[in-house]
Amino acid sequence: CQKCSMIKGGALINIIYSAYLHETDSQMKKMYKFLLDKSFVPYFEMLKQWVCRGFLENDHEFQEFMIVSPKDYSKEKLKENYLDLFWEMKFKLNSINVPEFLTRISEKIFFIGKSLNIIRESGKIIQCPFEAEFDSFATNKNSNANNTNVTEDNTNAYNEMIFENERLIQFEKLIEKIYTWTNETLKAILFKEKSLDSLIKSFKKFYLMESGDFYTYLIDLVGEMFFAQKKEINFEKIQKHIDNAMRMTSANLDSNK
């Protein structure tokens, strides 16, 4: 009780989990297992929302989950924060609230939810194909009460806690499958729908000066401005010169011009 004072979320789960692992008395171990079971139920629901849908149910004052998000990085501020690595700053992995038995897969859990959040913000409807399988790891004994197809053996397996060795290995394999699916889904959006490969080629062409004739032509047009004071420069005129250079050189053939 003293160790649990002022402790919350994943950190609290870790204290109970440690007590469970190091307890030798069977009755005490049974009690710790019961406490761990009950305390993990709300955490598991937050984990499901993050891994299957990309929602972070951690925006309240308690901050219990392994992922945190600064309040000032909302999607409404995306346009003004885009230069500050918005998606790098929007979510952070809080190691204090990572349950010890999820440490090995915590980075993949972080990546999955973050990627799903990006996909959802792009206007896509997320339908994780592994959500039902994820639900099978819940410890709520009543969840499958109405499922007449569940055998007695499967029911027992269903009620095994996620931190038990064999069950944990199965859960890690599931996270790996969701990780792969999320990665492929995000890549498909970036490269097929948003044509990221085409944009990268255009960046190479213009920022790395592969399109030499564009720069040569532009410098000829604006050369005298290199020696002018900033306050003397007509930026509208520069924009017109850039437009002319685009039309008169190979840049005109670029799909992202």
Side-chain angles (χ1 to χ4, degrees), residues 52 126-134 174 177-178 181-182 185:
C52 295
I126 298 172
Q127 187 64 48
C128 178
F130 305 102
E131 187 168 338
E133 187 176 349
F134 194 95
L174 172 61
K177 288 194 291 186
I178 298 177
W181 167 77
T182 304
T185 302

Side-chain angles (χ1 to χ4, degrees), residues 119-181:
I119 293 170
R120 196 181 69 253
E121 295 292 1
S122 71
K124 301 294 180 182
I125 298 176
I126 298 172
Q127 187 64 48
C128 178
F130 305 102
E131 187 168 338
E133 187 176 349
F134 194 95
D135 284 336
S136 71
F137 285 88
T139 56
N140 185 350
K141 295 185 178 182
N142 295 322
S143 296
N144 270 348
N146 297 322
N147 189 347
T148 57
N149 295 323
V150 177
T151 65
E152 183 176 351
D153 290 340
N154 287 337
T155 302
N156 291 333
Y158 181 84
N159 293 326
E160 286 181 11
M161 300 186 70
I162 196 173
F163 55 81
E164 303 290 359
N165 288 336
E166 290 299 321
R167 199 69 170 147
L168 181 56
I169 292 174
Q170 295 172 6
F171 186 72
E172 288 177 347
K173 290 180 179 178
L174 172 61
I175 292 298
E176 183 65 37
K177 288 194 291 186
I178 298 177
Y179 176 83
T180 301
W181 167 77

